[in-house]
C-alpha cells in the first residue's frame, strides 16, 4: 500500500500532464504545488523535452531540484546548470536512425549540446519547434552532424503513424537503443539504459531521498518507468493504457486538473494517515 506520509518529492511529466498544447499550468495545479511545498514536499519535472525548453517551466514553478529531460538521458539543475547525468545515443544507432528516416520520408530531429538540429525545413519540424519554443539549427547532412552521437532523436509524423513507427524502429538500431512515444505525434529514440524512472532515482539520490519517497505523475508511454519506479505512481486518466495498468493511483485528465487531484489526495492522505 503506498504510504502518502513518506513522500518527499513529486516528479511531474510536462506534455499531457502539466501542460497540453498551448495550455499551460492551471491555477488549481499551481495552488496544489504550493500546498505540497508548504507540507515540505519538493517538486521537479520529468519530460522528454530539451533542457532549454523544460527550464522555463522549472523557473515558472520555482523548481530547485534537478530536472529530468530527454526521457531521462539528461538530469540537470535548472538553477545552477550542473549536470548530474547525460547519456548520449551512440554514433552508429544515431546515424542508422537518420538513414531510416530518409528511406521512409520521415522528419527527424537530432539534439547535440542542447541544440535542435534538422536536415530539412518541413511542416513537421516547424510544428515541433513551435510546440517546444526552441530555435532550429539546419544542417546539410544530419548523419554527419550526429557523428559524435545525439542525446536523442525524435521522429515527427501524423498521430496515426506513431505506434506503427515505434514497433518498426524498436530493436532495429541495435540492442542498446529503444523507441518510445512522448506525444501523439512524436516517436523518440534513446538509449535503452535510460528512462524517467532511472533518472528519478538519480534526482532522489541528489536530494538524499529514497526512491520510495517519491511520487511520479505521467500519461504517455515514455512515463511508464516513472510511474513504475516511484513510491506512488500516478497515471493521468486519459493516459496510455499501459501506464494506467502500472499506476498505484489514477487521477483525472489535464482538463480535470488531474495533477492537482493527485497532489490533493496525497496531502489529504498525509493528514489522515492513510494513502
Amino acid at each position: 500500500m503506498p504510504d502518502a506520509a513518506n513522500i518527499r518529492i513529486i516528479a511531474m511529466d510536462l506534455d499531457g500532464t502539466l501542460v497540453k498544447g498551448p495550455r499551460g499550468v492551471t491555477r488549481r495545479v499551481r495552488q496544489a504545488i504550493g500546498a505540497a511545498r508548504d507540507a515540505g514536499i519538493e517538486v521537479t519535472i520529468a519530460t522528454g523535452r530539451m533542457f532549454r525548453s523544460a527550464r522555463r517551466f522549472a523557473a515558472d514553478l520555482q523548481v530547485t531540484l534537478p530536472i529530468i529531460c530527454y526521457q531521462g538521458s539528461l538530469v540537470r539543475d535548472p538553477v545552477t546548470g550542473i549536470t548530474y547525468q547525460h547519456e548520449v545515443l551512440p554514433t552508429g544507432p544515431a546515424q542508422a536512425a537518420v538513414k531510416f528516416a530518409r528511406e521512409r520520408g520521415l522528419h527527424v530531429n537530432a539534439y547535440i549540446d542542447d541544440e535542435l538540429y534538422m536536415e530539412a525545413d518541413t511542416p513537421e519540424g516547424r510544428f515541433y519547434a513551435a510546440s517546444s519554443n526552441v530555435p532550429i539549427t539546419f544542417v546539410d547532412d544530419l548523419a554527419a552532424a550526429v557523428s559524435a552521437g545525439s542525446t536523442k532523436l525524435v521522429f515527427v509524423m501524423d498521430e496515426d503513424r506513431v505506434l506503427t513507427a515505434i514497433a518498426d524502429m524498436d530493436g532495429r538500431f541495435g540492442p542498446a537503443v529503444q523507441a518510445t512515444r512522448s506525444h501523439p505525434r512524436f516517436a523518440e529514440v534513446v538509449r535503452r539504459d535510460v528512462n524517467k524512472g532511472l533518472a528519478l532515482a538519480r534526482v532522489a539520490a541528489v536530494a538524499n531521498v529514497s526512491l520510495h519517497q517519491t511520487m511520479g505523475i505521467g500519461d504517455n508511454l515514455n512515463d511508464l518507468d516513472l510511474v513504475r519506479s516511484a513510491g506512488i505512481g500516478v497515471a493521468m486518466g486519459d493516459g496510455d493504457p499501459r501506464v494506467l495498468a502500472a499506476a498505484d493511483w489514477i487521477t483525472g485528465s489535464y482538463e480535470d486538473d488531474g495533477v492537482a487531484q493527485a497532489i490533493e489526495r496525497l496531502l489529504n492522505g498525509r493528514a489522515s494517515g492513510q494513502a
Side-chain angles (χ1 to χ4, degrees), residues 2 9 12 35-36 38 60 75 83 102 109 113 138 155 167-168 199 222 244 247 261 263 273:
I9 293 173
M12 302 165 289
D38 290 343
D60 178 49
V75 177
T83 298
R102 288 171 175 167
N109 302 334
D113 295 329
F138 288 104
F155 295 75
D168 196 15
N222 65 322
L244 270 68
Q261 289 183 28
I263 295 175

Side-chain angles (χ1 to χ4, degrees), residues 67-80:
I67 61 175
I68 298 165
C69 304
Y70 294 103
Q71 312 303 1
S73 296
L74 180 70
V75 177
R76 181 174 289 172
D77 190 303
V79 179
T80 66

